[in-house]
PDB file of all heavy atoms in Angstrom:
ATOM      1  N   GLU P 211      -2.510  25.980  -7.010  1.00 71.00           N
ATOM      2  CA  GLU P 211      -3.865  26.436  -6.919  1.00 71.00           C
ATOM      3  C   GLU P 211      -4.790  25.253  -6.657  1.00 71.00           C
ATOM      4  O   GLU P 211      -5.703  25.238  -5.766  1.00 71.00           O
ATOM      5  CB  GLU P 211      -4.366  27.129  -8.216  1.00 71.00           C
ATOM      6  CG  GLU P 211      -5.738  27.592  -8.165  1.00 71.00           C
ATOM      7  CD  GLU P 211      -5.881  28.882  -7.328  1.00 71.00           C
ATOM      8  OE1 GLU P 211      -4.872  29.526  -6.978  1.00 71.00           O
ATOM      9  OE2 GLU P 211      -7.018  29.308  -6.954  1.00 71.00           O
ATOM     10  N   GLN P 219      -8.283  26.400   0.911  1.00 64.00           N
ATOM     11  CA  GLN P 219      -7.604  27.654   1.295  1.00 64.00           C
ATOM     12  C   GLN P 219      -7.556  28.581   0.119  1.00 64.00           C
ATOM     13  O   GLN P 219      -6.910  29.650   0.224  1.00 64.00           O
ATOM     14  CB  GLN P 219      -6.107  27.294   1.670  1.00 64.00           C
ATOM     15  CG  GLN P 219      -6.039  26.433   2.891  1.00 64.00           C
ATOM     16  CD  GLN P 219      -4.648  26.031   3.179  1.00 64.00           C
ATOM     17  OE1 GLN P 219      -3.712  26.209   2.295  1.00 64.00           O
ATOM     18  NE2 GLN P 219      -4.382  25.316   4.348  1.00 64.00           N
ATOM     19  N   ALA P 220      -8.206  28.334  -1.010  1.00 68.00           N
ATOM     20  CA  ALA P 220      -8.192  29.213  -2.169  1.00 68.00           C
ATOM     21  C   ALA P 220      -9.086  30.412  -1.938  1.00 68.00           C
ATOM     22  O   ALA P 220     -10.195  30.251  -1.372  1.00 68.00           O
ATOM     23  CB  ALA P 220      -8.704  28.406  -3.432  1.00 68.00           C
ATOM     24  N   GLU P 221      -8.632  31.558  -2.339  1.00 74.00           N
ATOM     25  CA  GLU P 221      -9.431  32.804  -2.173  1.00 74.00           C
ATOM     26  C   GLU P 221      -9.344  33.577  -3.472  1.00 74.00           C
ATOM     27  O   GLU P 221      -8.311  33.639  -4.121  1.00 74.00           O
ATOM     28  CB  GLU P 221      -8.868  33.611  -0.999  1.00 74.00           C
ATOM     29  CG  GLU P 221      -9.064  33.031   0.337  1.00 74.00           C
ATOM     30  CD  GLU P 221      -8.485  33.837   1.497  1.00 74.00           C
ATOM     31  OE1 GLU P 221      -8.066  34.997   1.115  1.00 74.00           O
ATOM     32  OE2 GLU P 221      -8.646  33.428   2.616  1.00 74.00           O
ATOM     33  N   LEU P 222     -10.424  34.233  -3.798  1.00 78.00           N
ATOM     34  CA  LEU P 222     -10.459  35.071  -4.968  1.00 78.00           C
ATOM     35  C   LEU P 222      -9.626  36.344  -4.719  1.00 78.00           C
ATOM     36  O   LEU P 222      -9.739  36.964  -3.616  1.00 78.00           O
ATOM     37  CB  LEU P 222     -11.845  35.459  -5.406  1.00 78.00           C
ATOM     38  CG  LEU P 222     -12.714  34.270  -6.010  1.00 78.00           C
ATOM     39  CD1 LEU P 222     -14.131  34.757  -6.244  1.00 78.00           C
ATOM     40  CD2 LEU P 222     -12.205  33.863  -7.293  1.00 78.00           C
ATOM     41  N   ARG P 223      -8.848  36.757  -5.720  1.00 81.00           N
ATOM     42  CA  ARG P 223      -8.045  37.925  -5.531  1.00 81.00           C
ATOM     43  C   ARG P 223      -8.758  39.112  -6.232  1.00 81.00           C
ATOM     44  O   ARG P 223      -9.338  38.881  -7.334  1.00 81.00           O
ATOM     45  CB  ARG P 223      -6.625  37.740  -6.062  1.00 81.00           C
ATOM     46  CG  ARG P 223      -5.962  36.575  -5.454  1.00 81.00           C
ATOM     47  CD  ARG P 223      -4.543  36.351  -6.185  1.00 81.00           C
ATOM     48  NE  ARG P 223      -3.912  35.134  -5.671  1.00 81.00           N
ATOM     49  CZ  ARG P 223      -4.135  33.861  -6.160  1.00 81.00           C
ATOM     50  NH1 ARG P 223      -5.044  33.760  -7.076  1.00 81.00           N
ATOM     51  NH2 ARG P 223      -3.436  32.918  -5.621  1.00 81.00           N
ATOM     52  N   ARG P 224      -8.590  40.275  -5.822  1.00 88.00           N
ATOM     53  CA  ARG P 224      -9.159  41.472  -6.486  1.00 88.00           C
ATOM     54  C   ARG P 224      -8.039  42.485  -6.713  1.00 88.00           C
ATOM     55  O   ARG P 224      -7.671  43.267  -5.735  1.00 88.00           O
ATOM     56  CB  ARG P 224     -10.206  42.122  -5.616  1.00 88.00           C
ATOM     57  CG  ARG P 224     -11.536  41.195  -5.567  1.00 88.00           C
ATOM     58  CD  ARG P 224     -12.559  41.992  -4.688  1.00 88.00           C
ATOM     59  NE  ARG P 224     -13.043  43.165  -5.409  1.00 88.00           N
ATOM     60  CZ  ARG P 224     -13.895  43.326  -6.421  1.00 88.00           C
ATOM     61  NH1 ARG P 224     -14.392  42.089  -6.873  1.00 88.00           N
ATOM     62  NH2 ARG P 224     -14.228  44.299  -6.890  1.00 88.00           N
ATOM     63  N   VAL P 225      -7.437  42.424  -7.863  1.00 89.00           N
ATOM     64  CA  VAL P 225      -6.385  43.369  -8.130  1.00 89.00           C
ATOM     65  C   VAL P 225      -6.758  43.988  -9.659  1.00 89.00           C
ATOM     66  O   VAL P 225      -7.362  43.300 -10.475  1.00 89.00           O
ATOM     67  CB  VAL P 225      -5.046  42.601  -8.266  1.00 89.00           C
ATOM     68  CG1 VAL P 225      -4.644  42.037  -6.894  1.00 89.00           C
ATOM     69  CG2 VAL P 225      -5.062  41.403  -9.365  1.00 89.00           C
ATOM     70  N   GLY P 265     -10.137  42.442 -10.672  1.00 91.00           N
ATOM     71  CA  GLY P 265     -10.619  40.986 -10.499  1.00 91.00           C
ATOM     72  C   GLY P 265      -9.446  40.084 -10.299  1.00 91.00           C
ATOM     73  O   GLY P 265      -8.281  40.500  -9.997  1.00 91.00           O
ATOM     74  N   ASP P 266      -9.617  38.754 -10.427  1.00 87.00           N
ATOM     75  CA  ASP P 266      -8.604  37.774 -10.207  1.00 87.00           C
ATOM     76  C   ASP P 266      -7.900  37.458 -11.503  1.00 87.00           C
ATOM     77  O   ASP P 266      -8.386  36.663 -12.399  1.00 87.00           O
ATOM     78  CB  ASP P 266      -9.274  36.467  -9.630  1.00 87.00           C
ATOM     79  CG  ASP P 266      -8.255  35.608  -8.999  1.00 87.00           C
ATOM     80  OD1 ASP P 266      -7.120  35.484  -9.509  1.00 87.00           O
ATOM     81  OD2 ASP P 266      -8.585  34.907  -8.046  1.00 87.00           O
ATOM     82  N   SER P 267      -6.847  38.218 -11.744  1.00 85.00           N
ATOM     83  CA  SER P 267      -6.125  38.040 -13.012  1.00 85.00           C
ATOM     84  C   SER P 267      -5.541  36.609 -13.249  1.00 85.00           C
ATOM     85  O   SER P 267      -5.382  36.154 -14.332  1.00 85.00           O
ATOM     86  CB  SER P 267      -5.034  39.073 -13.154  1.00 85.00           C
ATOM     87  OG  SER P 267      -4.085  38.892 -12.023  1.00 85.00           O
ATOM     88  N   ARG P 269      -6.749  33.623 -12.212  1.00 81.00           N
ATOM     89  CA  ARG P 269      -7.723  32.715 -12.703  1.00 81.00           C
ATOM     90  C   ARG P 269      -8.237  33.090 -14.051  1.00 81.00           C
ATOM     91  O   ARG P 269      -8.624  32.185 -14.865  1.00 81.00           O
ATOM     92  CB  ARG P 269      -8.865  32.649 -11.637  1.00 81.00           C
ATOM     93  CG  ARG P 269      -8.458  31.875 -10.385  1.00 81.00           C
ATOM     94  CD  ARG P 269      -9.638  31.795  -9.347  1.00 81.00           C
ATOM     95  NE  ARG P 269      -9.291  31.010  -8.214  1.00 81.00           N
ATOM     96  CZ  ARG P 269      -8.644  31.439  -7.163  1.00 81.00           C
ATOM     97  NH1 ARG P 269      -8.283  32.710  -7.145  1.00 81.00           N
ATOM     98  NH2 ARG P 269      -8.325  30.658  -6.123  1.00 81.00           N
TER      99      ARG P 269
END
Side-chain angles (χ1 to χ4, degrees):
E211 182 76 14
Q219 299 175 351
E221 295 181 0
L222 288 174
R223 306 174 184 84
R224 294 183 59 82
V225 295
D266 196 325
S267 61
R269 290 182 173 83

